[in-house]
Amino acid sequence: MEHSPKEGAGPEPSGQPPATDSTRDGGSGVPPAGPGAASEALAVLTSFGRRLLVLVPVYLAGAAGLSVGFVLFGLALYMGWRRVRDGKERSLRAARQLLDDEERITAETLYMSHRELPAWVSFPDVEKAEWLNKIVAQVWPFLGQYMEKLLSETVAPAVRGANPHLQTFTFTHVELGEKPVRIIGVKVHPSQRKDQILLDLNVSYVGDVQIDVEVKKYFCKAGVKGMQLHGVLRVILEPLTGDLPIVGAVSMFFIKRPTLDINWTGMTNLLDIPGLSSLSDTMIMDSIAAFLVLPNRLLVPLVPDLQDVAQLRSPLPRGIIRIHLLAARGLSSKDKYVKGLIEGKSDPYALVRVGTQTFCSRVIDEELNPHWGETYEVIVHEVPGQEIEVEVFDKDPDKDDFLGRMKLDVGKVLQAGVLDNWYPLQGGQGQVHLRLEWLSLLPDAEKLDQVLQWNRGITSRPEPPSAAILVVYLDRAQDLPLKKGNKEPNPMVQLSVQDVTQESKATYSTNSPVWEEAFRFFLQDPRSQELDVQVKDDSRALTLGALTLPLARLLTASELTLDQWFQLSSSGPNSRLYMKLVMRILYLDYSEIRFPTVPGTQDWDLESLEAGSSVDAPPRPYHTTPNSHFGTENVLRIHVLEAQDLIAKDRFLGGLVKGKSDPYVKLKVAGRSFRTHVVREDLNPRWNEVFEVIVTSIPGQELEIEVFDKDLDKDDFLGRYKVSLTTVLNSGFLDEWLALEDVPSGRLHLRLERLTPRPTAAELEEVLQVNSLIQTQKSSELAAALLSVYLERAEDLPLRKGTKPPSPYATLTVGETSHKTKTVSQSSAPVWEESASFLIRKPHTESLELQVRGEGTGTLGSVSLPLSELLQADQLCLDHWFALSGQGQVLMRAQLGILVSQHSGVEAHSHSYSHSSSSLNDEPEALGGPTYPASPVLEVRHRLTHGDSPSEAPVGPLGQVKLTVWYHSDEQKLISIIHSCRALRQNGRDLPDPYVSVLLLPDKNRSTKRKTPQKKRTLNPEFNERFEWDLPLDGTLRRKLDVSVKSNSSFMSRERELLGKVQLDLAEIDLSQGAAQWYDLMDDRDKGGS
């Protein structure tokens, strides 16, 4: 490109060659070679040498006998590097050309003459600031001098002192170049606060910066030559004061991550290799974002003793937006099959972004109208400026296909309060359905109960809805303990709320660090949550102090704020931490929107009332109305123990040789069938299997029992028996030998027990522990509770194709068990009135999944109810409207009952009853049945309640192991449960990888040896492993139980490090109790007990 001559420049050369001396050298007649000829010859030689160097790798590969594939791989790597490098250089040239002659290029683009385009262009609310660019251009060389001094005199010494390998580190060349930063546009926002000015600067830097570094010790050179940076920089001038300089401080930050492109030199040329190029730029952008992208900001105070510096550096968020990503429709099809001949669908998922906060939805396979039903909560720091961005992609094995995006300014959500719309996707086809709610931050603890009640009616996935937000301003610490050798620590802080942990930066070589950082946590229920603070050395191995703060303290503090010093535990006597904790309740004014009803609140379905109608619509029900039989089910526990004197059915050699039988048992009850395993060649088999089934009190039901001999063709009949369920349900327990009918001989030992659900969670932990004791190896895990669900109706389901009502049905699922309701034809408000029951084995971790589907239309909405919420509810019951993901609500009742066994060690009483053994048989007598003697495990409950008493003896020097040792007299088995270990000894710097090995002495063979799985890097492992040995009681009492806690010495070694052991003489233990107890670990010389 040609440039016009600048003002003040000299005249252009005339083009005549300069006069030269015609003197000949020595009369040789040959003119001397000029400097142009020498430089041309040097250039030719250099070019030839470079091309010759290309052949060197080929020669070396051939000399080394390597495959030609290595050469091709290197060539491909070089071509990729060259392509990335050339692309960066073209981009830099184009950007520089635009900035050098922006006015002329803009005029050419707009087809306007030079005179028609003004010197500046005004847009609706963005103005150009050429006067500011001229100031920056004049200041730029002096800024370059300052940067050179800063890097050489401050940064370089710091780098050299940080690592002994960098003692020769130096900046060899620092030049910011001639291209300064340009301000493309300036936008001034009207602020709601009078003491604040908001500016948005559209910053563009396309510079010829050159910074070279060298580490002479390793002959290493690297650097940067050319850089692009584009972004919107927000500048906030606050507070405005009545004294000079009028502005108290300047805050600067990028609202969104700026785009960055760097041209590397020297050793860093490798970063231009494809893959490494984007990775390196991303890492640098992460570093920039760590201090200059929201929520981080750079604060420059302009006046001394500025108040509330921490508040200016990390202000409270403006609010929270709860984003309900509901669904999408009309997406484009991206999947192709048979080389594009067959068009498939798409596997869509969505990315939701607000600033640096990013969320990814789950993938919906083969669907152009996906329903996600997911909820995210994002922190909004700046309004206006931040945007909600949703991008939809098609999931593919290689590269995901782009399906479209939408953007929305958060200011519109703030203005509306709630937005529930379909938004068109730009760059693709289709729409995405979002419900956006603006949650205000209130310093009012009285609103918490109302918010928690509302949140119980919200089904949120993948995380439950939050009720509050906690902002922690971490300021400084004082007098932290020193490291070994009186060395100054490098302290950093870990802050945790439940399973969310955040870390501060590390400050080096000080025991009085200053961090000045802010952290933010979402809280589901601040009444029961805690903030855990751990001050550690940057290696994370040394703890310098700890603090646990119940967040309930903030609820009683003024303005929900604590601003003070906190004393650290497990630290020095004067070690303390200064923090400011601010809690805010997340509140949405629901008076203007429709919300699902929860117990105790009013909700009128205003949309169902016709305008101008004089007849009032019936009020919307608050609760379900199940029939009187709902929730009256019991659980029948069937224990098939053994059989005797079965007939022999097997024959060999044409019937000449009489064999035995291979018996198994079939059970039929309440529409369910069960079958035991086969015992080979035994006429007195022992099965020891437990089955459970949900039964009602309908009279006339029977338990059908049949015994068969397993054969290759047709199984032979060995006998049958029928038991009336009325007898078992009335008596509560039956333990008898049943004489088999329709066969000459044989009898079956059966134990039946009725388990009645109880609406209290007080005994759940005891039930779970007792179930682990009586669990048999051949049976599935025993149920601890019964879940009863009544699904009454749904409302406001989405229509088909926008106009036609669906034909909905619902499925209720817990684990692998499902129940499907009837289908209601063409209704958006179906009434099902159906109930279902489920056996629950782990109430703390299982959940009820409800899905509403339409015949031929797919999923209409879903609800996920964790059973842990039922455990916290009154009477273990929830009965209200539940919001469906997507659109609509369902009215449902879910109630849980704990299954307390009368004959397995847990009493049938509530907390108000006596714990005496006389109450164990009260219920069977009340039902009219006989009183049965207590089983051998009847006293387990009394010991279980004291197994973890707070008045335990202190832990020994090697730690402790928690064991349950019990003899099951009915099954003639010794049972041991390895629960856990605590406070194990640590040898060396690394934590051990513990496991527990169990031996029955004096035997040391494989048949009696048991071993738990290994736990990685912990001093407090949890095992919960159950081991069994088939032994008579007299043989058990002659044994000793040897329990050893060991750790692998190393990855490559087979040696095992003994952490401690305990040896129990089984003759000295009451094996009928089955109590969980802690035992002190001893070394190999002293094998002590508890």
Side-chain angles (χ1 to χ4, degrees):
M1 172 184 283
E2 296 181 359
H3 298 274
S4 59
K6 298 181 181 180
E7 294 182 5
E12 291 289 327
S14 62
Q16 298 296 329
T20 57
D21 189 3
S22 59
T23 306
R24 309 289 176 99
D25 185 14
S28 62
V30 180
S39 60
E40 183 179 353
L42 182 61
V44 172
L45 289 175
T46 303
S47 176
F48 177 75
R50 286 179 178 175
R51 284 162 174 75
L52 190 62
L53 284 175
V54 174
L55 301 177
V56 172
V58 180
Y59 171 77
L60 294 177
L66 299 178
S67 169
V68 71
F70 286 92
V71 179
L72 295 178
F73 175 75
L75 182 60
L77 201 62
Y78 172 78
M79 295 297 293
W81 172 84
R82 187 74 260 175
R83 180 183 178 187
V84 172
R85 185 63 175 241
D86 292 344
K88 286 188 175 184
E89 291 177 351
R90 283 195 302 271
S91 176
L92 281 171
R93 284 196 301 270
R96 288 171 184 168
Q97 181 180 359
L98 175 62
L99 291 179
D100 287 342
D101 208 354
E102 180 181 8
E103 184 175 334
R104 186 186 62 79
I105 293 177
T106 305
E108 291 178 356
T109 305
L110 298 177
Y111 299 98
M112 299 174 65
S113 68
H114 176 76
R115 293 181 180 180
E116 291 173 335
L117 187 68
W120 54 271
V121 179
S122 177
F123 295 97
D125 55 356
V126 179
E127 298 180 1
K128 302 200 76 174
E130 287 302 319
W131 61 271
L132 185 57
N133 288 323
K134 292 178 180 179
I135 294 175
V136 174
Q138 192 162 351
V139 172
W140 193 252
F142 300 96
L143 182 60
Q145 296 175 17
Y146 169 75
M147 287 295 299
E148 184 175 2
K149 292 180 181 179
L150 177 67
L151 294 176
S152 301
E153 299 175 6
T154 304
V155 176
V159 173
R160 287 194 289 266
N163 193 308
H165 298 289
L166 300 177
Q167 294 293 331
T168 57
F169 176 89
T170 183
F171 287 94
T172 58
H173 185 77
V174 177
E175 182 181 353
L176 290 187
E178 299 179 357
K179 308 296 182 183
V181 173
R182 287 185 58 84
I183 311 300
I184 304 300
V186 178
K187 181 177 181 179
V188 181
H189 295 279
S191 177
Q192 296 179 351
R193 294 172 47 187
K194 294 183 178 181
D195 64 339
Q196 183 187 73
I197 299 175
L198 297 181
L199 302 173
D200 279 349
L201 307 182
N202 196 337
V203 178
S204 180
Y205 176 55
V206 184
D208 50 354
V209 58
Q210 183 171 355
I211 302 176
D212 295 330
V213 300
E214 182 179 6
V215 182
K216 296 180 180 179
K217 181 179 178 180
Y218 300 103
F219 305 100
C220 177
K221 294 183 179 181
V224 173
K225 187 176 182 180
M227 177 189 301
Q228 289 191 69
L229 180 69
H230 308 279
V232 177
L233 181 70
R234 172 154 294 181
V235 179
I236 302 179
L237 309 178
E238 65 172 338
L240 301 181
T241 65
D243 300 318
L244 291 177
I246 306 300
V247 178
V250 179
S251 301
M252 294 177 287
F253 52 87
F254 286 100
I255 295 178
K256 296 189 296 184
R257 295 167 68 102
T259 58
L260 176 70
D261 193 5
I262 298 176
N263 201 14
W264 302 99
T265 63
M267 289 292 292
T268 48
N269 259 322
L270 295 176
L271 296 179
D272 278 335
I273 293 176
L276 290 180
S277 176
S278 58
L279 179 63
S280 62
D281 291 352
T282 300
M283 293 175 64
I284 294 174
M285 275 312 309
D286 289 341
S287 301
I288 295 175
F291 71 94
L292 208 55
V293 177
L294 273 180
N296 307 295
R297 57 185 72 200
L298 176 64
L299 179 69
V300 182
L302 301 181
V303 297
D305 302 326
L306 186 64
Q307 299 295 325
D308 295 329
V309 175
Q311 181 69 21
L312 292 174
R313 182 175 288 110
S314 300
L316 276 174
R318 290 290 305 275
I320 305 297
I321 293 183
R322 185 172 287 155
I323 302 174
H324 300 273
L325 176 65
L326 302 178
R329 63 187 180 191
L331 299 180
S332 57
S333 174
K334 291 292 184 178
D335 293 342
K336 309 291 182 184
Y337 305 101
V338 195
K339 296 185 178 180
L341 296 178
I342 301 177
E343 181 174 345
K345 294 186 177 181
S346 290
D347 307 317
Y349 70 93
L351 289 178
V352 181
R353 293 191 187 92
V354 177
T356 58
Q357 305 165 87
T358 304
F359 305 91
C360 183
S361 76
R362 69 185 193 277
V363 178
I364 307 296
D365 294 327
E366 295 288 326
E367 184 62 67
L368 300 180
N369 301 289
H371 290 263
W372 290 292
E374 299 188 12
T375 303
Y376 315 107
E377 292 171 333
V378 297
I379 300 174
V380 178
H381 297 277
E382 287 295 322
V383 179
Q386 289 192 272
E387 292 180 327
I388 300 171
E389 182 179 3
V390 179
E391 291 183 316
V392 184
F393 293 89
D394 167 41
K395 186 68 177 177
D396 282 331
D398 45 7
K399 183 180 180 181
D400 298 343
D401 297 318
F402 177 72
L403 299 179
R405 73 163 54 88
M406 62 78 59
K407 291 183 179 181
L408 182 70
D409 192 280
V410 297
K412 295 183 179 180
V413 186
L414 172 60
Q415 183 179 5
V418 175
L419 291 176
D420 191 341
N421 294 319
W422 287 90
Y423 296 93
L425 294 174
Q426 304 297 326
Q429 68 181 46
Q431 296 174 308
V432 62
H433 188 189
L434 298 178
R435 178 183 173 89
L436 308 172
E437 301 169 350
W438 180 272
L439 306 179
S440 301
L441 307 183
L442 301 185
D444 186 1
E446 296 180 356
K447 296 288 187 182
L448 179 60
D449 290 336
Q450 182 181 1
V451 171
L452 289 173
Q453 188 178 21
W454 282 338
N455 285 353
R456 293 189 190 102
I458 299 176
T459 301
S460 177
R461 185 172 54 187
E463 298 293 338
S466 301
I469 186 174
L470 174 68
V471 180
V472 181
Y473 297 99
L474 177 65
D475 190 4
R476 66 188 65 208
Q478 282 185 355
D479 297 327
L480 296 179
L482 302 178
K483 296 194 294 185
K484 292 182 179 179
N486 289 330
K487 293 183 179 179
E488 296 280 359
N490 303 323
M492 52 80 62
V493 179
Q494 292 178 338
L495 301 101
S496 302
V497 176
Q498 285 188 342
D499 56 347
V500 178
T501 300
Q502 300 184 42
E503 292 187 351
S504 75
K505 63 184 179 183
T507 57
Y508 294 94
S509 301
T510 177
N511 70 335
S512 296
V514 177
W515 293 286
E516 295 182 341
E517 294 186 60
F519 305 90
R520 301 157 187 88
F521 298 91
F522 284 106
L523 307 176
Q524 277 77 46
D525 187 353
R527 299 174 302 181
S528 59
Q529 293 179 279
E530 294 179 334
L531 172 66
D532 181 70
V533 182
Q534 299 282 333
V535 184
K536 297 184 177 182
D537 190 66
D538 64 342
S539 64
R540 276 64 167 181
L542 175 63
T543 300
L544 304 175
L547 170 67
T548 299
L549 180 69
L551 298 181
R553 280 185 57 184
L554 283 164
L555 296 175
T556 58
S558 175
E559 293 292 316
L560 306 187
T561 301
L562 291 176
D563 189 358
Q564 64 184 61
W565 287 99
F566 294 90
Q567 188 67 35
L568 293 173
S569 62
S570 303
S571 187
N574 299 319
S575 300
R576 56 181 187 164
L577 189 68
Y578 193 86
M579 294 188 299
K580 182 178 180 181
L581 309 177
V582 181
M583 182 187 296
R584 291 293 183 264
I585 308 302
L586 306 184
Y587 187 78
L588 172 62
D589 186 2
Y590 287 99
S591 60
E592 300 180 0
I593 66 170
R594 189 160 166 242
F595 191 76
T597 304
V598 297
T601 64
Q602 291 187 353
D603 186 4
W604 304 98
D605 192 355
L606 300 178
E607 295 179 3
S608 64
L609 302 178
E610 296 182 1
S613 174
S614 61
V615 180
D616 292 336
R620 189 187 193 197
Y622 296 156
H623 307 291
T624 61
T625 55
N627 58 38
S628 58
H629 298 294
F630 174 74
T632 61
E633 300 92 345
N634 295 285
V635 174
L636 179 65
R637 183 170 287 171
I638 307 170
H639 194 170
V640 182
L641 294 168
E642 56 186 327
Q644 291 181 353
D645 300 328
L646 298 180
I647 59 176
K649 285 290 185 177
D650 292 342
R651 298 287 190 272
F652 304 101
L653 299 180
L656 297 177
V657 179
K658 185 178 182 181
K660 296 185 178 181
S661 291
D662 305 319
Y664 67 92
V665 180
K666 289 180 66 175
L667 306 170
K668 292 182 180 179
V669 59
R672 298 284 306 279
S673 297
F674 305 95
R675 173 174 164 171
T676 69
H677 69 281
V678 177
V679 179
R680 297 293 179 185
E681 296 189 4
D682 198 337
L683 300 182
N684 300 288
R686 183 175 182 83
W687 293 283
N688 192 27
E689 291 191 50
V690 179
F691 306 97
E692 293 173 321
V693 62
I694 301 171
V695 295
T696 61
S697 57
I698 300 176
Q701 297 184 92
E702 291 182 326
L703 168 63
E704 298 181 10
I705 307 166
E706 293 180 315
V707 185
F708 290 91
D709 166 42
K710 182 66 177 176
D711 282 331
L712 295 177
D713 45 7
K714 183 180 179 181
D715 297 345
D716 297 318
F717 178 72
L718 298 181
R720 68 165 53 92
Y721 197 90
K722 292 184 179 181
V723 179
S724 172
L725 287 189
T726 304
T727 303
V728 180
L729 295 178
N730 288 338
S731 64
F733 187 72
L734 179 68
D735 187 353
E736 292 184 0
W737 283 92
L738 308 176
L740 296 176
E741 300 174 351
D742 300 332
V743 286
S745 66
R747 61 176 188 160
L748 179 69
H749 188 189
L750 202 66
R751 182 180 297 155
L752 307 176
E753 182 180 6
R754 179 207 66 213
L755 304 178
T756 302
R758 298 182 181 180
T760 173
E763 295 172 310
L764 176 59
E765 294 303 323
E766 299 167 10
V767 169
L768 292 172
Q769 291 190 52
V770 171
N771 282 356
S772 68
L773 288 175
I774 64 176
Q775 177 73 44
T776 65
Q777 292 183 335
K778 301 293 185 180
S779 306
S780 59
E781 188 173 0
L782 298 180
L786 177 68
L787 174 65
S788 300
V789 183
Y790 179 73
L791 183 61
E792 184 165 302
R793 65 183 68 200
E795 285 190 2
D796 197 24
L797 296 181
L799 302 179
R800 291 188 301 169
K801 299 181 180 179
T803 57
K804 297 182 180 179
S807 298
Y809 65 92
T811 57
L812 299 162
T813 305
V814 176
E816 299 180 355
T817 306
S818 295
H819 171 80
K820 180 181 177 182
T821 68
K822 64 185 178 183
T823 300
V824 179
S825 177
Q826 296 188 355
S827 173
S828 61
V831 177
W832 291 295
E833 296 182 340
E834 293 190 32
S835 61
S837 299
F838 303 90
L839 291 174
I840 306 299
R841 292 165 175 82
K842 296 180 179 179
H844 292 297
T845 58
E846 295 186 74
S847 62
L848 169 66
E849 305 291 338
L850 182 147
Q851 194 172 53
V852 181
R853 301 179 65 87
E855 289 285 355
T857 59
T859 302
L860 303 176
S862 61
V863 173
S864 178
L865 177 63
L867 300 187
S868 57
E869 296 185 11
L870 287 174
L871 293 175
Q872 300 173 2
D874 184 33
Q875 296 293 307
L876 308 188
C877 177
L878 291 176
D879 187 351
H880 58 77
W881 289 93
F882 292 83
L884 291 173
S885 62
Q887 178 182 336
Q889 308 106 43
V890 292
L891 182 59
M892 181 174 65
R893 177 186 179 97
Q895 66 183 38
L896 202 62
I898 306 303
L899 300 178
V900 181
S901 173
Q902 294 281 352
H903 300 272
S904 298
V906 179
E907 302 178 28
H909 65 82
S910 66
H911 282 294
S912 60
Y913 292 170
S914 169
H915 283 224
S916 64
S917 60
S918 62
S919 65
L920 290 173
N921 299 314
D922 290 347
E923 186 172 341
E925 291 179 0
L927 294 170
T931 302
Y932 296 97
S935 71
V937 296
L938 204 56
E939 297 182 12
V940 171
R941 184 198 190 291
H942 303 284
R943 296 296 301 275
L944 285 176
T945 57
H946 302 292
D948 287 318
S949 173
S951 60
E952 296 174 80
V955 179
L958 302 184
Q960 291 183 326
V961 59
K962 188 177 182 181
L963 307 173
T964 295
V965 185
W966 177 52
Y967 188 79
H968 199 314
S969 57
D970 291 337
E971 301 182 12
Q972 295 188 354
K973 286 185 177 181
L974 175 66
I975 298 174
S976 175
I977 300 178
I978 312 297
H979 296 283
S980 59
C981 298
R982 64 183 180 188
L984 296 179
R985 178 181 58 184
Q986 179 177 352
N987 295 330
R989 292 190 305 174
D990 296 332
L991 294 176
D993 300 333
Y995 68 93
V996 179
S997 176
V998 184
L999 283 173
L1000 268 183
L1001 302 180
D1003 297 337
K1004 291 188 178 181
N1005 51 33
R1006 289 181 175 271
S1007 62
T1008 64
K1009 185 176 181 180
R1010 306 287 189 270
K1011 187 173 73 170
T1012 70
Q1014 190 178 58
K1015 303 297 180 181
K1016 294 293 184 181
R1017 296 185 178 275
T1018 178
L1019 299 176
N1020 302 283
E1022 294 280 345
F1023 299 105
N1024 294 317
E1025 292 288 329
R1026 173 190 173 107
F1027 302 123
E1028 297 180 358
W1029 293 269
D1030 292 319
L1031 289 172
L1033 180 58
D1034 56 347
T1036 300
L1037 298 178
R1038 294 195 297 268
R1039 306 291 182 109
K1040 291 183 179 180
L1041 191 68
D1042 184 87
V1043 181
S1044 301
V1045 182
K1046 300 180 181 181
S1047 173
N1048 282 340
S1049 296
S1050 66
F1051 176 74
M1052 298 298 295
S1053 173
R1054 297 192 60 177
E1055 297 181 4
R1056 303 293 184 263
E1057 176 188 4
L1058 180 65
L1059 302 179
K1061 67 189 308 180
V1062 61
Q1063 198 172 95
L1064 305 178
D1065 191 342
L1066 299 182
E1068 299 177 359
I1069 298 177
D1070 187 356
L1071 298 177
S1072 64
Q1073 299 301 313
Q1077 189 170 346
W1078 287 101
Y1079 295 88
D1080 284 333
L1081 293 171
M1082 302 295 177
D1083 57 24
D1084 207 11
R1085 293 164 297 187
D1086 186 2
K1087 305 162 187 175
S1090 63

